[in-house]
Amino acid sequence: MFNRALPSIGFGTWAWGNKFLWGYNSKNDDALLEETFNEAVNRGLNFIDTADSYGTGQLRGRSEELLGQFINKLTPAKSKNLIVATKLAPYPWRIGRKGFYSAFIASKERLQGKLDRVQLHWSTYRYAPWQEVQLMEGLCDFLESGDVSEIGVSNMGPNRLRWFHNRLSKRGIALKSLQIQFSLLSPEPHKHLDICDACNQLNIELLAYSPLAFGLLAIPPIEEKVQSTTLIRGNLFRRLLPSSIGLRKELHKIAVRRGRSQAQVALNWCRAHKAMPIVGLRNPIQAKDASDACKWHLTSNEKEALDIASQNCKMRMPNNPFQSI
Ligand SMILES: NC(=O)c1ccc[n+]([C@@H]2O[C@H](COP(=O)([O-])OP(=O)(O)OC[C@H]3O[C@@H](n4cnc5c(N)ncnc54)[C@H](OP(=O)(O)O)[C@@H]3O)[C@@H](O)[C@H]2O)c1
């Protein structure tokens, strides 16, 4: 039986307009991205994550711009069903309670008005804790004025999350979500439990970003050669492929037994931890695959076997340097 308590699956748009890490090939890729977007939406994936820093070698917000264009072509009934969440970057020049004001207006314009949730992209706790306090107050102002209906944070650890939760509760405001890197290969697996507990206790949605470790978790254990990709991603894969073989064998075993893809197994591991994976989709086949993952779930034995295989993997994805405690 399908467990209704499990979170659904969303998708992210980091790759849109990002040449260096994801090999986005200018406007040639846009038609495929639109097809992918439509496939995902038609199959019921209704949560979309973007950011004002995505697609912005030159800080031009390409990802939000494309998303706005694609959404604008949907029927009103379809677009109404979507939850579009952007993230605003706490660049050093964005300071004070109004520090996000013009960035917020610009994002909303690029998204052609469809913006439901705004998130702080990363925590500045390690180098400028006062900055994020002011910026978060500014996000609450957008909420109170009705310019957006939900606010969230990203790259924040459980301590800082609890601190913000308390502070914002005094203003009568609830944080909707926390977004962190969360996958079978994400860094510091021993901290997973803390973060899941904090979100559960505070009733905050946990969004798992890079749930496939940039796609590495979908690579079968027999394949040890890195397929053509960008230099940065290729180097990372060359480093992580040999050490993740045991984990990928376990993923593969479950995938074969269940008649599912390895990617679906990895996404459902996030869901089994009550986190909603937001997966980076590059083509309609991947969109279909992600939506198929919503139709089943792991057994507790499968989840445990994957937990163990994950913990045995010593080489991990790189840590986000801004992730706070
Ligand atoms: N808050 C933050 O700081 C932060 C940081 C990172 C990401 N994010 C969010 O999280 C989203 C997803 O993370 P991500 O894009 O970094 O990584 P990811 O979802 O772990 O990996 C994306 C890659 O996985 C591959 N893939 C996707 N579906 C697949 C399938 N069904 N089968 C096989 N391969 C599949 C694709 O590889 P190919 O390219 O080879 O097709 C895709 O490029 C981002 O788009 C962004 O919205 C947030």
Side-chain angles (χ1 to χ4, degrees):
M1 256 285 274
F2 174 56
N3 181 347
R4 288 188 181 280
L6 290 185
S8 176
I9 292 181
F11 63 102
T13 65
W14 187 18
W16 300 12
N18 184 327
K19 189 168 176 205
F20 297 105
L21 183 59
W22 294 102
Y24 168 81
N25 183 10
S26 142
K27 296 194 170 161
N28 297 340
D29 278 350
D30 294 352
L32 181 63
L33 291 178
E34 185 166 11
E35 248 185 86
T36 309
F37 168 84
N38 286 329
E39 182 77 12
V41 170
N42 288 336
R43 288 185 175 277
L45 303 184
N46 71 345
F47 183 88
I48 311 167
D49 179 69
T50 186
D52 71 340
S53 62
Y54 290 172
T56 59
Q58 303 116 345
L59 302 176
R60 286 206 197 112
R62 182 84 185 135
S63 165
E64 289 179 334
E65 201 177 274
L66 285 172
L67 188 54
Q69 288 168 18
F70 301 164
I71 293 171
N72 203 28
K73 291 190 206 163
L74 297 175
T75 62
K78 266 192 189 148
S79 67
K80 198 169 151 248
N81 263 337
L82 299 181
I83 300 171
V84 176
T86 200
K87 303 185 288 298
L88 299 179
Y91 295 130
W93 56 89
R94 291 177 174 172
I95 45 175
R97 190 163 173 156
K98 291 199 177 298
F100 272 151
Y101 186 74
S102 51
F104 176 76
I105 302 289
S107 283
K108 206 163 176 178
E109 263 175 32
R110 284 191 291 265
L111 290 164
Q112 309 204 18
K114 180 62 182 158
L115 176 56
D116 304 286
R117 189 178 306 178
V118 62
Q119 310 156 99
L120 177 73
H121 199 149
W122 63 81
S123 172
T124 66
Y125 177 70
R126 288 179 189 277
Y127 58 95
W130 45 269
Q131 188 195 9
E132 67 180 356
V133 174
Q134 287 301 305
L135 291 175
M136 285 303 294
E137 292 294 341
L139 293 190
C140 295
D141 294 341
F142 298 140
L143 192 69
E144 281 183 340
S145 61
D147 288 319
V148 75
S149 47
E150 299 168 341
I151 60 168
V153 291
S154 175
N155 296 305
M156 196 173 269
N159 293 357
R160 195 65 175 158
L161 185 74
R162 286 181 199 281
W163 188 86
F164 263 116
H165 170 83
N166 285 340
R167 186 184 165 98
L168 300 190
S169 314
K170 288 184 191 136
R171 204 177 147 179
I173 282 176
L175 272 176
K176 186 73 183 175
S177 60
L178 164 70
Q179 180 179 144
I180 56 158
Q181 187 183 169
F182 190 88
S183 79
L184 286 154
L185 272 182
S186 55
E188 306 185 303
H190 55 285
K191 292 191 180 163
H192 284 168
L193 203 60
D194 278 357
I195 205 83
C196 293
D197 281 353
C199 287
N200 280 339
Q201 282 162 15
L202 306 176
N203 197 23
I204 292 174
E205 284 174 14
L206 179 58
L207 310 182
Y209 77 66
S210 302
L212 297 179
F214 289 3
L216 186 131
L217 293 169
I219 301 177
I222 32 167
E223 233 175 89
E224 287 316 305
K225 245 187 99 200
V226 176
Q227 304 292 331
S228 79
T229 180
T230 56
L231 184 71
I232 306 175
R233 202 170 162 220
N235 284 341
L236 180 71
F237 280 16
R238 267 183 281 282
R239 197 161 59 82
L240 292 180
L241 269 176
S243 57
S244 62
I245 188 113
L247 170 61
R248 288 181 296 117
K249 274 185 180 159
E250 193 58 49
L251 280 165
H252 187 69
K253 195 169 82 187
I254 298 171
V256 171
R257 195 170 57 225
R258 294 299 205 101
R260 300 285 177 174
S261 72
Q262 236 176 265
Q264 287 188 39
V265 180
L267 295 176
N268 271 338
W269 175 84
C270 298
R271 297 175 71 218
H273 284 271
K274 299 277 189 294
M276 176 169 85
I278 41 173
V279 57
L281 301 174
R282 305 293 296 277
N283 59 53
I285 297 170
Q286 292 174 355
K288 178 183 181 307
D289 200 35
S291 76
D292 284 347
C294 297
K295 298 177 183 157
W296 66 285
H297 58 93
L298 295 173
T299 64
S300 51
N301 284 348
E302 288 167 340
K303 174 179 169 260
E304 259 168 51
L306 287 168
D307 284 342
I308 293 166
S310 162
Q311 280 149 20
N312 287 340
C313 255
K314 297 301 167 227
M315 293 262 243
R316 318 285 306 183
M317 288 284 284
N319 217 338
N320 184 308
F322 300 121
Q323 171 79 32
S324 65
I325 50 164

